[in-house]
Amino acid sequence: MAKSGGSAEVDAARWVKANCKKPVAGFIAGATAPAGRRMGHAGAVIGGAEDTAAAKIAVFRECGIEVAATPSDMADALIRAAGKAGVKLS
């Protein structure tokens, strides 16, 4: 789940909270993008209050999704998510 602009990530996070029992981790790109910067597609231009990287990360966390800080942190985020869910990794 990652893209700057649009509501797909928020919709997916809410679906995960309501329907998924497995540990989930995700990454939101654009956290370092300057505020107000126009990204390259329509979804990024017309976004609302939940359409910032910080807002999406907050929704992920509210929905129990472990957030990777960088793409290279994704494997560790999955391990953290599994640990929080009580999954034993060998």
Side-chain angles (χ1 to χ4, degrees), residues 47-52 55-56:
E50 288 186 334
D51 201 25
T52 65
K56 289 176 183 182

Side-chain angles (χ1 to χ4, degrees), residues 35-56:
R37 169 110 184 198
R38 291 180 70 173
M39 303 306 273
H41 57 89
V45 174
I46 61 172
E50 288 186 334
D51 201 25
T52 65
K56 289 176 183 182

Side-chain angles (χ1 to χ4, degrees), residues 14-69:
R14 291 184 176 141
W15 184 91
V16 165
K17 183 177 181 180
N19 298 289
C20 191
K21 302 296 179 202
K22 295 182 180 185
V24 176
F27 169 73
I28 297 293
T32 60
R37 169 110 184 198
R38 291 180 70 173
M39 303 306 273
H41 57 89
V45 174
I46 61 172
E50 288 186 334
D51 201 25
T52 65
K56 289 176 183 182
I57 289 168
V59 171
F60 270 33
R61 289 186 174 137
E62 289 168 13
C63 291
I65 297 171
E66 184 67 29
V67 179

